[in-house]
Amino acid sequence: MTSSSQLVAYIRTMVKGEHAENDRIEARLDDQGWEGFSTLLGAVFYFAVNRRFPDGASPDEVIRFVSEMRLTTTGGPGTDATSAEELISAALDPSVDTDIDPHLAGRVQGLTILHILGAGTVSDEELDALLTEAAALASRI
C-alpha cells in the first residue's frame, strides 16, 4: 500500500526541482503502487489554482495564464490549451463540467502545479502548508 507521505514527498520534490530525490521516490512508488496519487494531484491542483486566482478569473485571464504556462513550462507547448483552460476553470468554478481524458488531465494538472508553485515562487513553508491541506482533502475524498 502506498503511503500518503510518499505521494506528498513525490509532488514536493517535483515542485522543488529535486530531480534525484524525485527519481528515487518515483522508483519506490513504481514498486509499491500509486494508489491515491490522482486524487492527491487533483487536490494540489485545486489549491494551486485557487492560490494563483484567489478571487476567481475571467475566461480571458485563464486563457492568458494557459498561454504563458505553455510558453514557459517544460512540456507546456505540447499541452492542449482548451483542456487546460477547462480544468483550470473547473477548479475555480465547480459548476464547470469537464470531460477530459484522465491521462491528459493529470498532465495538465502537473504542469499547472509546476507553473504556479515551482521555480521558487513559494516558500518551503507555504508549499508544505498547501501540500498538507491537499493531503487532508484527498484523504476525505
Side-chain angles (χ1 to χ4, degrees):
M1 183 162 144
T2 304
S3 161
S4 171
S5 63
Q6 288 181 48
L7 297 173
V8 168
Y10 177 78
I11 293 175
R12 187 180 200 294
T13 58
M14 178 183 73
V15 168
K16 298 297 287 179
E18 298 168 351
H19 303 291
E21 182 65 9
N22 185 263
D23 290 346
R24 188 182 67 72
I25 296 168
E26 182 175 349
R28 187 176 331 128
L29 289 168
D30 284 343
D31 289 340
Q32 296 175 353
W34 291 82
E35 182 181 342
F37 181 71
S38 62
T39 303
L40 176 62
L41 187 69
V44 174
F45 171 78
Y46 170 81
F47 285 115
V49 167
N50 281 277
R51 174 186 168 72
R52 171 63 177 79
F53 299 106
D55 299 318
S58 70
D60 286 343
E61 289 171 312
V62 172
I63 289 169
R64 280 192 300 277
F65 172 81
V66 169
S67 177
E68 175 188 301
M69 178 179 73
R70 292 179 72 228
L71 288 172
T72 61
T73 306
T74 301
T79 301
D80 178 60
T82 302
S83 296
E85 291 162 10
E86 277 184 42
L87 282 173
I88 290 166
S89 295
L92 295 169
D93 179 359
S95 70
V96 173
D97 289 326
T98 62
D99 185 24
I100 298 170
D101 172 74
H103 180 72
L104 176 59
R107 177 176 164 74
V108 167
Q109 289 170 337
L111 289 172
T112 303
I113 289 165
L114 286 175
H115 187 67
I116 294 172
L117 302 176
T121 58
V122 298
S123 70
D124 287 344
E125 294 79 16
E126 291 170 314
L127 178 59
D128 288 341
L130 185 143
L131 292 173
T132 298
E133 191 172 8
L137 175 62
S139 72
R140 294 189 305 268
I141 296 176

